[in-house]
Amino acid sequence: MRRLAALLLLLLLPACYQVEGDTVAASASIRVDGVKDGRYRRPDGVEVRVTWNAAEKQYDVATPDGPTGKARAARLAPGLFLVQYVDAARLTLMAAPKGDDVVLYFATKEAEPGLLKAHGLGIRPGPINALTGPARGVADFFKDLAMSGDFKEGEKLVYLGS
């Protein structure tokens, strides 16, 4: 029950969108400079261990209770990355290392409608908004968002050490 509650809290972050397809292909996934392997505290207070898995070109994310998911990252712009996290849900967000932490970013309310329209995407409201449309359109939405600068800093993963 604790894992489910933690997942639901994570899903409520405004920086995340639920998606259906892969927005970061394994072939495009990179290890992000500045993101250390170790323990992080998520915005919901849950501690996770993040470890780069070079063989699979992705990050393994685990709670003290066991594995929770996998994350892939691809560069959007200098210092900004598209991240896809897969567990019980498939989430996509924009993030960047800041010091030892990882900051999550979200589109401004003013920019979001225009970006959605430009990429043929829709939004299905829910506990976490779902972007509807092709995975390529979702990736392009985030590329244009990164280039536009029309985003805000949201929550962050706080580095706790190795």
Side-chain angles (χ1 to χ4, degrees), residues 110-136:
E110 299 79 20
E112 186 180 61
L115 288 167
L116 291 170
K117 185 176 180 180
H119 297 290
L121 301 173
I123 281 202
R124 187 175 61 242
I128 179 167
N129 289 336
L131 287 179
T132 59
R136 182 78 246 151

Short mmCIF file of all heavy atoms in Angstrom, two decimals, residues 110-136:
data_model
loop_
_atom_site.label_atom_id
_atom_site.label_comp_id
_atom_site.label_asym_id
_atom_site.label_seq_id
_atom_site.Cartn_x
_atom_site.Cartn_y
_atom_site.Cartn_z
N GLU A 110 0.49 29.14 -20.29
CA GLU A 110 0.34 29.89 -21.54
C GLU A 110 0.92 29.14 -22.73
O GLU A 110 0.38 29.20 -23.84
CB GLU A 110 1.03 31.26 -21.42
CG GLU A 110 0.47 32.16 -20.34
CD GLU A 110 0.96 31.83 -18.92
OE1 GLU A 110 2.01 31.16 -18.77
OE2 GLU A 110 0.28 32.24 -17.98
N ALA A 111 2.01 28.42 -22.53
CA ALA A 111 2.70 27.75 -23.64
C ALA A 111 2.10 26.40 -23.99
O ALA A 111 2.12 25.99 -25.16
CB ALA A 111 4.18 27.57 -23.29
N GLU A 112 1.57 25.70 -23.01
CA GLU A 112 1.12 24.33 -23.23
C GLU A 112 0.10 24.17 -24.36
O GLU A 112 0.31 23.32 -25.25
CB GLU A 112 0.56 23.76 -21.92
CG GLU A 112 0.21 22.28 -22.02
CD GLU A 112 -0.33 21.75 -20.71
OE1 GLU A 112 -1.39 22.26 -20.25
OE2 GLU A 112 0.29 20.85 -20.15
N PRO A 113 -0.98 24.96 -24.44
CA PRO A 113 -1.96 24.74 -25.52
C PRO A 113 -1.37 24.88 -26.93
O PRO A 113 -1.67 24.08 -27.81
CB PRO A 113 -3.02 25.83 -25.27
CG PRO A 113 -2.88 26.18 -23.83
CD PRO A 113 -1.42 26.01 -23.51
N GLY A 114 -0.53 25.88 -27.13
CA GLY A 114 0.07 26.08 -28.45
C GLY A 114 1.00 24.94 -28.83
O GLY A 114 1.02 24.50 -29.98
N LEU A 115 1.78 24.46 -27.88
CA LEU A 115 2.68 23.34 -28.14
C LEU A 115 1.90 22.06 -28.43
O LEU A 115 2.27 21.29 -29.32
CB LEU A 115 3.62 23.12 -26.96
CG LEU A 115 4.71 24.17 -26.79
CD1 LEU A 115 5.39 24.04 -25.43
CD2 LEU A 115 5.74 24.06 -27.90
N LEU A 116 0.83 21.84 -27.70
CA LEU A 116 -0.01 20.66 -27.95
C LEU A 116 -0.56 20.70 -29.37
O LEU A 116 -0.49 19.71 -30.10
CB LEU A 116 -1.15 20.58 -26.94
CG LEU A 116 -0.76 20.29 -25.50
CD1 LEU A 116 -1.96 20.49 -24.57
CD2 LEU A 116 -0.20 18.88 -25.37
N LYS A 117 -1.11 21.84 -29.74
CA LYS A 117 -1.70 21.98 -31.08
C LYS A 117 -0.66 21.81 -32.18
O LYS A 117 -0.90 21.13 -33.18
CB LYS A 117 -2.38 23.35 -31.19
CG LYS A 117 -3.13 23.54 -32.48
CD LYS A 117 -3.87 24.86 -32.51
CE LYS A 117 -4.61 24.99 -33.84
NZ LYS A 117 -5.33 26.25 -33.92
N ALA A 118 0.51 22.41 -31.98
CA ALA A 118 1.57 22.35 -32.99
C ALA A 118 2.03 20.92 -33.26
O ALA A 118 2.50 20.62 -34.36
CB ALA A 118 2.77 23.19 -32.54
N HIS A 119 1.86 20.03 -32.28
CA HIS A 119 2.35 18.66 -32.44
C HIS A 119 1.22 17.64 -32.53
O HIS A 119 1.48 16.43 -32.44
CB HIS A 119 3.32 18.33 -31.32
CG HIS A 119 4.53 19.20 -31.38
ND1 HIS A 119 5.47 19.09 -32.37
CD2 HIS A 119 4.92 20.26 -30.62
CE1 HIS A 119 6.40 20.02 -32.22
NE2 HIS A 119 6.08 20.74 -31.16
N GLY A 120 -0.02 18.12 -32.73
CA GLY A 120 -1.14 17.21 -32.91
C GLY A 120 -1.43 16.37 -31.68
O GLY A 120 -1.88 15.23 -31.81
N LEU A 121 -1.21 16.93 -30.51
CA LEU A 121 -1.42 16.19 -29.26
C LEU A 121 -2.67 16.70 -28.55
O LEU A 121 -3.09 17.84 -28.74
CB LEU A 121 -0.22 16.36 -28.33
CG LEU A 121 1.13 15.89 -28.87
CD1 LEU A 121 2.24 16.27 -27.89
CD2 LEU A 121 1.12 14.39 -29.12
N GLY A 122 -3.22 15.86 -27.73
CA GLY A 122 -4.32 16.24 -26.87
C GLY A 122 -3.97 15.90 -25.44
O GLY A 122 -2.95 15.26 -25.17
N ILE A 123 -4.81 16.34 -24.53
CA ILE A 123 -4.62 16.03 -23.10
C ILE A 123 -5.87 15.34 -22.60
O ILE A 123 -6.98 15.80 -22.86
CB ILE A 123 -4.36 17.29 -22.27
CG1 ILE A 123 -2.92 17.72 -22.45
CG2 ILE A 123 -4.67 17.07 -20.81
CD1 ILE A 123 -2.35 18.59 -21.36
N ARG A 124 -5.66 14.24 -21.92
CA ARG A 124 -6.74 13.54 -21.22
C ARG A 124 -6.51 13.77 -19.74
O ARG A 124 -5.54 13.27 -19.17
CB ARG A 124 -6.73 12.05 -21.56
CG ARG A 124 -7.93 11.30 -21.00
CD ARG A 124 -7.97 9.84 -21.44
NE ARG A 124 -6.79 9.12 -21.00
CZ ARG A 124 -5.89 8.54 -21.80
NH1 ARG A 124 -6.01 8.60 -23.10
NH2 ARG A 124 -4.86 7.90 -21.29
N PRO A 125 -7.39 14.55 -19.08
CA PRO A 125 -7.20 14.84 -17.65
C PRO A 125 -7.33 13.57 -16.82
O PRO A 125 -8.04 12.64 -17.16
CB PRO A 125 -8.33 15.82 -17.33
CG PRO A 125 -8.85 16.30 -18.63
CD PRO A 125 -8.55 15.23 -19.64
N GLY A 126 -6.64 13.57 -15.71
CA GLY A 126 -6.69 12.46 -14.77
C GLY A 126 -5.83 12.80 -13.57
O GLY A 126 -5.36 13.94 -13.45
N PRO A 127 -5.60 11.82 -12.72
CA PRO A 127 -4.70 12.08 -11.59
C PRO A 127 -3.36 12.61 -12.09
O PRO A 127 -2.71 13.41 -11.45
CB PRO A 127 -4.53 10.73 -10.92
CG PRO A 127 -5.68 9.92 -11.37
CD PRO A 127 -6.09 10.47 -12.72
N ILE A 128 -2.98 12.14 -13.26
CA ILE A 128 -1.86 12.72 -13.99
C ILE A 128 -2.36 12.90 -15.42
O ILE A 128 -2.98 12.00 -15.98
CB ILE A 128 -0.60 11.84 -13.93
CG1 ILE A 128 0.51 12.48 -14.72
CG2 ILE A 128 -0.85 10.46 -14.46
CD1 ILE A 128 1.85 11.88 -14.48
N ASN A 129 -2.13 14.07 -15.99
CA ASN A 129 -2.59 14.32 -17.35
C ASN A 129 -1.88 13.40 -18.32
O ASN A 129 -0.67 13.18 -18.20
CB ASN A 129 -2.35 15.77 -17.74
CG ASN A 129 -3.29 16.72 -17.02
OD1 ASN A 129 -4.36 16.33 -16.58
ND2 ASN A 129 -2.88 17.96 -16.91
N ALA A 130 -2.63 12.87 -19.27
CA ALA A 130 -2.07 12.00 -20.29
C ALA A 130 -1.98 12.77 -21.60
O ALA A 130 -2.94 13.44 -22.00
CB ALA A 130 -2.93 10.76 -20.47
N LEU A 131 -0.83 12.72 -22.25
CA LEU A 131 -0.69 13.28 -23.58
C LEU A 131 -1.16 12.22 -24.56
O LEU A 131 -0.68 11.08 -24.53
CB LEU A 131 0.76 13.65 -23.88
CG LEU A 131 1.31 14.88 -23.18
CD1 LEU A 131 2.77 15.11 -23.56
CD2 LEU A 131 0.49 16.11 -23.49
N THR A 132 -2.09 12.57 -25.41
CA THR A 132 -2.58 11.63 -26.41
C THR A 132 -2.03 12.04 -27.76
O THR A 132 -1.99 13.22 -28.09
CB THR A 132 -4.12 11.61 -26.43
OG1 THR A 132 -4.61 12.91 -26.73
CG2 THR A 132 -4.68 11.15 -25.09
N GLY A 133 -1.59 11.06 -28.50
CA GLY A 133 -1.00 11.30 -29.80
C GLY A 133 0.26 10.46 -29.94
O GLY A 133 0.64 9.73 -29.03
N PRO A 134 0.92 10.58 -31.07
CA PRO A 134 2.10 9.74 -31.32
C PRO A 134 3.29 10.10 -30.42
O PRO A 134 3.48 11.26 -30.03
CB PRO A 134 2.44 10.03 -32.79
CG PRO A 134 1.82 11.36 -33.07
CD PRO A 134 0.63 11.49 -32.19
N ALA A 135 4.07 9.08 -30.07
CA ALA A 135 5.26 9.27 -29.22
C ALA A 135 6.21 10.31 -29.84
O ALA A 135 6.82 11.10 -29.12
CB ALA A 135 5.97 7.94 -29.00
N ARG A 136 6.33 10.31 -31.16
CA ARG A 136 7.20 11.28 -31.84
C ARG A 136 6.71 12.71 -31.57
O ARG A 136 7.48 13.63 -31.36
CB ARG A 136 7.23 10.99 -33.34
CG ARG A 136 8.12 11.89 -34.15
CD ARG A 136 9.58 11.49 -34.02
NE ARG A 136 10.27 12.56 -33.35
CZ ARG A 136 11.35 12.43 -32.60
NH1 ARG A 136 11.87 11.27 -32.40
NH2 ARG A 136 11.92 13.44 -32.03
#
